[in-house]
Structure formats: C-alpha cells, structure tokens
Amino acid sequence: LSITDTGFGIPREHLSHIFEPFFTTKDVGKGTGLGLATVFGIVEQHHGWIEVKSQVNSGTTFHVYLPRVTGKAALSEEPPLPPEPRRGAETILLVEDEDSLRRLLRTALERYGYRVFEAASGVAALSVWHEHASAIDLLVTDMVMPGGVGGRELADRIHSERPGLKVIYCSGYTDAMLGEDSLLRSNVNFLEKPFAPRKFLRQVRECLDAR
C-alpha cells in the first residue's frame, strides 16, 4: 500500500525520527507526534514494515508492506447489525486534541440527545470543568494530549473534586504500549482508537447507566 502527498516533504535529518512517539516538527499545540508512531505500531503488529521516500518541496511517499495471506478465506454469514444506541439527555465533557475526531464525536452525541462541552487539551478541559462542574455527568477523554495534562491526570484532578464522576478513556495506543501500570488493564470504560461512532455511543450509554 503506497500513500503519496505533494506537501513540503521531510528534511533528511528528520527521517530517522518520524516514527518516534512525540516527535513532531509542528508548533506547540498543533500536533502530538503520535500519528505516525501509532501507524508504525499497527503495521508492526501485523508483521509488516514501512519504507519512506521524501524530498523537500517534492512531497513524501510511504510504502506499507504487509504479509500475503495464503489459502482461501472462509465464507461466513453476515453478522447481524448491532442494536441502535439508546438516546440520552446527560451533559458530557469531551476532551480530544484531534479537531476532526472531536467534531465527529460531538455531532454523534448531540444527535442522540446529549449536551456537550468540548476541549482540545487537558488544560482547556480543566477550565471548562471549573465553569460547568455541577452540570457535567460524564468525562470522555483521550489519554495522551499536548499541554502537559493527559487524560489520566485530568481525571485524577476532577475526581479530587468529585470522586464519583464517570470517565471513559480513549487511546490509539494499546494497553501494552501504555505500560505495565496502565489503568486500562482493568478499566472496562476504555475505547481503543479507531472505533465506530455507534460503539462509542453504546459505551457512553452503558457507562452512564452503570451503578
């Protein structure tokens, strides 16, 4: 699989670092440096590899190599469609640094009746929380965000003020990549990216309904 763009290109001195977590040449607040690291992890887990060709002012090409599957695929019946997510009326604090994903999740939540406060970082989320804490029923937060306050620290700070607030954590990193002491090992309210909007909405409803 080859993907080519016509952008600025990657300088030679940066090529050996582009798959390192948190490496980015973007300005503060413009990127986390996790996108390519996540792609690399997914490809490696499937026993593949990536080659990169880039020239400044001429764009970049990524070649993704995956092992060929031998034999015939087994035919199976179409799985039944999952049930329609149930609607709600609660207020949710949505914290996600990727603008497009945050807009998508907010739209999905609002279509199903929820009220949404949003923030693009943990720091911004704390400001929203201090202004609307009494109205918020659920925190949905990415685990890794720019600005020095990640999802875990954000939840810890909010729980110091309201211990019973429910939290759903989201991450593009697998449990193993997050470390041995990851709270995700035993937390059922965790969504691994990418996930379908319907799965997200069902998780929100189940979390809010849980005692």
Side-chain angles (χ1 to χ4, degrees):
L1 174 66
S2 296
I3 303 97
T4 301
D5 66 33
T6 56
F8 177 76
I10 304 171
R12 184 181 298 274
E13 62 270 22
H14 294 157
L15 275 175
S16 61
H17 301 289
I18 61 174
F19 295 115
E20 296 174 4
F22 304 109
F23 177 81
T24 180
T25 58
K26 296 180 179 179
D27 295 334
V28 175
K30 299 295 184 180
T32 62
L34 294 175
L36 287 177
T38 301
V39 170
F40 182 84
I42 292 171
V43 173
E44 190 176 53
Q45 287 172 6
H46 289 82
H47 309 291
W49 73 93
I50 305 177
E51 292 180 357
V52 186
K53 296 180 180 179
S54 185
Q55 185 174 348
V56 173
N57 297 321
S58 297
T60 303
T61 298
F62 289 85
H63 297 294
V64 179
Y65 296 87
L66 297 169
R68 176 177 293 176
V69 176
T70 58
K72 295 182 179 180
L75 297 177
S76 60
E77 295 183 0
E78 287 287 334
L81 290 175
E84 182 78 10
R86 286 178 289 125
R87 298 178 62 84
E90 292 89 347
T91 299
I92 296 170
L93 174 53
L94 173 65
V95 192
E96 168 61 55
D97 61 299
E98 292 291 340
D99 292 342
S100 59
L101 177 56
R102 191 176 66 254
R103 287 195 298 267
L104 172 64
L105 297 181
R106 175 170 188 159
T107 299
L109 288 168
E110 290 179 338
R111 284 179 177 174
Y112 277 76
Y114 299 99
R115 182 186 182 195
V116 181
F117 294 118
E118 64 176 276
S121 69
V123 174
L126 288 172
S127 297
V128 176
W129 168 258
H130 292 143
E131 186 175 354
H132 302 285
S134 61
I136 294 171
D137 301 296
L138 171 68
L139 168 66
V140 177
T141 180
D142 191 16
M143 287 292 292
V144 183
M145 294 179 290
V149 178
R152 184 171 188 173
E153 183 179 354
L154 172 62
D156 287 345
R157 292 194 190 184
I158 289 178
H159 279 154
S160 69
E161 299 178 26
R162 197 202 298 177
L165 184 74
K166 295 176 179 179
V167 182
I168 293 177
Y169 298 95
C170 307
S171 179
Y173 276 176
T174 63
D175 184 68
M177 294 170 73
L178 283 167
E180 291 294 328
D181 62 344
S182 170
L183 57 79
L184 304 182
R185 291 186 180 277
S186 57
N187 194 305
V188 295
N189 291 318
F190 168 66
L191 283 170
E192 184 175 345
K193 298 177 182 176
F195 48 79
R198 284 197 173 197
K199 180 178 181 180
F200 169 68
L201 290 165
R202 286 195 300 273
Q203 186 76 36
V204 166
R205 191 66 261 158
E206 289 172 5
C207 183
L208 286 167
D209 290 342
R211 294 184 178 181

